[in-house]
Amino acid sequence: MNTAAPAADPNDLTDPAFLETLRRQMLKFAILQLGDAHIAEDAVQEALIGALKNAGSFRRGAALKTWVFAILKNKIADVLRQRQRMNLANPAPATEDDGDEWGESFDRKGYWQPAERPLAWADPEGALESVHFWRVFETCLEHLPASQARVFMMREMIELNSDEVCAAAGITVSNLHVMLYRARLRLRECLENHWFKPGRGS
Amino acid sequence: MNCRTATRLLSEKLERPLSRGERIALWFHCLMCGGCRNFGRHLTQLRVLAQRFARSGDRT
């Protein structure tokens, strides 16, 4: 993330401890995306093999990781597109916990509850440089309902377009809009409560 | 327009072009509502954060 980080060993990928940490991160990411641990393992495996083949051309830890994750993202996108072609998409349970969160954020007339009204975020740029912030971000992401997290990650992290996400997840466009809306609502609130406005409670 | 509708449109604005009517109603609501103005900004920031998160993969 931070380009000012000290240069890492060029042979990062040959360090078993480093490799194991990286593999675990990748797997978590892939499982959320693909919803299947075995397929996720395969995608991670393939991405790592591809990365190891060309590891020599990368000098620094941060660049290395970015690059390995880019390979993984492509692998996941391939699997999702393939699934779509083979029509194997398992429809996401889009109706899971339907509509409960409205009550928490908005009053009966649909206006913000006073305590839930979004505040201006202090120093969003600074957050990018904070290791602790990224842990909060990851935790907030993990607390989304799985189907919402999957759709959100496909859209915002794998950067598939709306049509591709719909096809891959087996959902309609209006379903997608609702799921993304809910995911964003929750994630935004979680980040605000746990980072941008500490002490506000959750 | 209430905040629930406004926030939904702010999210959908990232997915599809809003109609003229939606844009005007949303603009008018946000003129009066600081909470929804912040919400709109946060969604843009959220997109940037998610992309950064995915690209780095390094939060340890």
Side-chain angles (χ1 to χ4, degrees):
Chain A
M1 176 98 291
N2 186 351
T3 50
D9 183 348
N11 296 317
D12 267 348
L13 279 181
T14 63
D15 172 357
F18 173 85
L19 196 60
E20 180 51 27
T21 307
L22 182 62
R23 203 189 61 82
R24 250 182 282 124
Q25 287 175 319
M26 292 168 78
L27 196 58
K28 204 174 341 171
F29 184 78
I31 288 173
L32 263 172
Q33 292 301 323
L34 299 170
D36 179 307
H38 289 296
I39 297 171
E41 289 265 16
D42 288 347
V44 170
Q45 200 72 23
E46 282 178 38
L48 280 175
I49 288 169
L52 281 164
K53 268 191 208 154
N54 302 295
S57 47
F58 283 82
R59 300 246 163 92
R60 302 186 54 216
L64 185 76
K65 275 198 169 178
T66 305
W67 176 66
V68 172
F69 265 80
I71 295 175
L72 178 60
K73 275 169 58 174
N74 288 335
K75 294 279 175 209
I76 291 170
D78 283 349
V79 174
L80 293 174
R81 291 194 183 103
Q82 195 181 350
R83 218 181 252 182
Q84 153 192 355
R85 273 198 305 277
M86 297 170 66
N87 207 12
L88 288 175
N90 46 332
T95 49
E96 94 185 359
D97 56 52
D98 223 347
D100 274 354
E101 67 267 44
W102 308 142
E104 295 163 21
S105 298
F106 302 108
D107 65 22
R108 242 181 308 166
K109 289 181 173 171
Y111 292 91
W112 291 109
Q113 301 275 14
E116 303 296 330
R117 184 183 297 275
L119 305 166
W121 283 356
D123 193 19
E125 295 300 314
L128 300 178
E129 307 303 328
S130 163
V131 171
H132 183 56
F133 170 76
W134 291 112
R135 273 196 215 111
V136 170
F137 187 87
E138 188 171 23
T139 306
C140 286
L141 205 53
E142 282 167 356
H143 278 79
L144 291 178
S147 62
Q148 281 177 26
R150 201 146 57 221
V151 166
F152 179 82
M153 287 172 108
M154 279 190 227
R155 180 76 183 95
E156 305 287 31
M157 299 189 181
I158 309 272
E159 298 176 47
L160 296 179
N161 66 36
S162 293
D163 291 341
E164 288 174 323
V165 177
C166 287
I171 57 176
T172 64
V173 176
S174 63
N175 242 330
L176 174 72
H177 290 169
V178 172
M179 290 172 81
L180 284 174
Y181 173 48
R182 292 184 182 171
R184 286 166 176 153
L185 205 62
R186 283 182 188 224
L187 207 47
R188 192 213 69 79
E189 189 187 5
C190 184
L191 291 177
E192 183 159 307
N193 287 339
H194 296 287
W195 181 264
F196 290 106
K197 180 76 171 104
R200 194 184 174 198
S202 49
Chain B
M1 179 178 291
N2 61 23
C3 300
R4 182 168 19 200
T5 308
T7 51
R8 186 176 56 74
L9 287 178
L10 285 165
S11 176
E12 290 193 15
K13 200 171 81 167
L14 300 177
E15 305 308 315
R16 63 173 178 91
L18 298 185
S19 74
R20 191 179 151 78
E22 286 171 332
R23 281 203 312 273
I24 292 170
L26 183 60
W27 175 82
F28 191 72
H29 177 89
C30 287
L31 206 61
M32 325 280 257
C33 178
C36 287
R37 277 201 301 281
N38 285 333
F39 185 90
R41 275 186 216 118
H42 295 164
L43 288 197
T44 312
Q45 284 163 345
L46 205 53
R47 172 160 279 183
V48 174
L49 291 172
Q51 289 172 356
R52 289 272 210 123
F53 178 82
R55 281 171 195 163
S56 78
D58 181 9
R59 276 91 51 203
T60 51

